[in-house]
Amino acid sequence: MTFDRRHILSMKDFTRNEIDFILERAVKLETLAKGGRSDLLAGNILALLFYEPSTRTRMSFETAMLRLGGSVLNLGSKEASSVVKGETLADTIRVISTYSDAIVLRHPSEGSARMAAEYALVPIINGGDGAGHHPTQTLLDLYTIKKESHLDNLDIAIVGDLKYGRTVHSLAYALSLYGANITLVSPPQLKMPDQIKGDLKTMGARVSETENLDEVLDSVDVLYMTRIQKERFPDPTEYNKVVGAYKITGEHLDNVREDMIIMHPLPRVYEIDSSVDDSAHARYFEQSFYGVPIRMALLTIVLGVEV
Ligand code: NCD
């Protein structure tokens, strides 16, 4: 499979074969992800350009690069860089391209990663573009589902902020390639955008919508919870109307399938009570760890290194 120097911008750009290839490579790298160091990417530099807060995406990319023997260059805060002087993203990308071998970009504007790719001399990896896409999160989500549940004939409820949540936009596209049965659960104000639903339909996806989580709780294999994306609401009073719309507590787990797993891209705020953490269903911390082998796999792929 030829992936060399390819940008990672949106799950819309991927075939199922390509996704399977990445997931298989992550399996090979999982032991190394747990500890140790190789020299697979020695001499390579990964630049991290994060214009929005991040814990997992930024640090798991950094861990992935270090475990592979590469180095990391960090833009740091916007305040510490020329971004505050008014430098455009295009100029920043042009310059950082000459300092690094690949760039991970997180930016508040939808479409920013695709725009950056036009100016970049090295692969751009989209670490989240506003309310748009978050493809590397989706790859680790798929890896989690494959390891902790099953990707074939999957029944999944995707719950919460489906309007502004970029992780669920990417996830829905990818799951459609696997023929999953997807139930979208959200308040009416936070439904999945029509354009994405239209695309999913065209792809032949099995998608339904409801506001009522209880309707689907006892039948799904995977419960994918998300945070209401407070920072994307133009009006804080609108956020206050939906905050806390869905919250999973230990009591919800009485009638669920024995092998049902609960996932969340994290950070969680109100969506999952800490009493759920010790249940046999919780997988969100395993999920965040799987970001390391997946990002190791992606880095070797975009930098053209065989494993
Ligand atoms: C998500 C994001 O940034 O979109 N976080 C992450 O990358 N794990 C989800 C969120 O912020 O709610």
Side-chain angles (χ1 to χ4, degrees), residues 221-279:
D221 302 304
V222 174
L223 181 63
Y224 191 98
M225 301 297 294
T226 64
R227 176 179 69 89
I228 309 287
Q229 308 282 295
K230 184 178 184 182
E231 66 277 26
R232 311 252 180 254
F233 281 69
D235 176 357
T237 57
E238 290 304 310
Y239 170 75
N240 291 332
K241 285 184 196 161
V242 285
V243 64
Y246 301 103
K247 178 171 184 165
I248 293 293
T249 66
E251 286 148 35
H252 288 103
L253 302 177
D254 290 345
N255 297 318
V256 302
R257 293 176 55 141
E258 207 179 314
D259 56 357
M260 184 272 269
I261 64 164
I262 304 171
M263 295 173 60
H264 192 306
L266 303 179
R268 65 172 153 180
V269 189
Y270 304 106
E271 313 80 53
I272 305 177
D273 190 78
S274 58
S275 64
V276 174
D277 298 357
D278 293 330
S279 86

Side-chain angles (χ1 to χ4, degrees), residues 52-57 106 127-128 130 133-134 137 140 164-167 226-229 231-232 264-268 295:
E52 275 193 342
S54 171
T55 301
R56 276 149 291 272
T57 305
R106 170 169 288 187
H133 299 273
H134 195 347
Q137 177 70 42
L140 76 90
Y164 298 118
R166 54 194 172 200
T167 69
T226 64
R227 176 179 69 89
I228 309 287
Q229 308 282 295
E231 66 277 26
R232 311 252 180 254
H264 192 306
L266 303 179
R268 65 172 153 180
R295 289 173 172 130

Side-chain angles (χ1 to χ4, degrees), residues 35-297:
R37 199 178 175 114
S38 79
D39 58 5
L40 278 167
L41 291 186
N44 282 280
I45 296 175
L46 178 68
L48 301 176
L49 264 62
F50 280 69
Y51 293 74
E52 275 193 342
S54 171
T55 301
R56 276 149 291 272
T57 305
R58 186 169 52 83
M59 296 194 73
S60 63
F61 263 116
E62 189 158 354
T63 301
M65 199 60 186
L66 296 178
R67 294 244 183 259
L68 291 166
S71 308
V72 176
L73 200 61
N74 219 315
L75 175 78
S77 69
K78 279 187 287 184
E79 290 68 31
S81 71
S82 284
V83 175
V84 280
K85 298 183 191 170
E87 183 166 52
T88 62
L89 178 62
D91 279 3
T92 305
I93 293 289
R94 277 193 184 107
V95 172
I96 306 298
S97 283
T98 64
Y99 299 163
S100 62
D101 300 291
I103 297 173
V104 183
L105 173 68
R106 170 169 288 187
H107 194 278
S109 307
E110 221 171 306
S112 50
R114 204 166 286 280
M115 188 277 272
E118 284 171 27
Y119 295 92
L121 305 169
V122 297
I124 293 285
I125 303 175
N126 183 4
D129 61 323
H133 299 273
H134 195 347
T136 71
Q137 177 70 42
T138 290
L139 290 165
L140 76 90
D141 291 344
L142 296 174
Y143 191 74
T144 306
I145 293 170
K146 195 169 176 191
K147 286 207 66 153
E148 307 288 338
S149 181
H150 51 88
L151 266 172
D152 293 324
N153 290 318
L154 182 75
D155 221 308
I156 183 169
I158 303 181
V159 185
D161 187 346
L162 311 187
K163 178 178 180 185
Y164 298 118
R166 54 194 172 200
T167 69
V168 292
H169 298 162
S170 294
L171 183 62
Y173 279 111
L175 286 174
S176 298
L177 297 175
Y178 289 85
N181 187 19
I182 304 170
T183 308
L184 304 172
V185 185
S186 71
Q189 308 93 302
L190 297 179
K191 282 186 169 184
M192 183 74 76
D194 286 339
Q195 208 231 308
I196 297 180
K197 279 187 291 193
D199 286 349
L200 300 178
K201 218 178 225 174
T202 311
M203 291 165 78
R206 292 187 287 157
V207 183
S208 55
E209 282 182 303
T210 177
E211 282 170 45
N212 185 357
L213 178 57
D214 292 335
E215 256 175 39
V216 290
L217 208 50
D218 57 357
S219 63
V220 293
D221 302 304
V222 174
L223 181 63
Y224 191 98
M225 301 297 294
T226 64
R227 176 179 69 89
I228 309 287
Q229 308 282 295
K230 184 178 184 182
E231 66 277 26
R232 311 252 180 254
F233 281 69
D235 176 357
T237 57
E238 290 304 310
Y239 170 75
N240 291 332
K241 285 184 196 161
V242 285
V243 64
Y246 301 103
K247 178 171 184 165
I248 293 293
T249 66
E251 286 148 35
H252 288 103
L253 302 177
D254 290 345
N255 297 318
V256 302
R257 293 176 55 141
E258 207 179 314
D259 56 357
M260 184 272 269
I261 64 164
I262 304 171
M263 295 173 60
H264 192 306
L266 303 179
R268 65 172 153 180
V269 189
Y270 304 106
E271 313 80 53
I272 305 177
D273 190 78
S274 58
S275 64
V276 174
D277 298 357
D278 293 330
S279 86
H281 303 285
R283 288 295 188 288
Y284 25 95
F285 293 118
E286 285 84 354
Q287 182 185 356
S288 62
F289 163 69
Y290 292 141
V292 181
I294 277 293
R295 289 173 172 130
M296 288 168 76

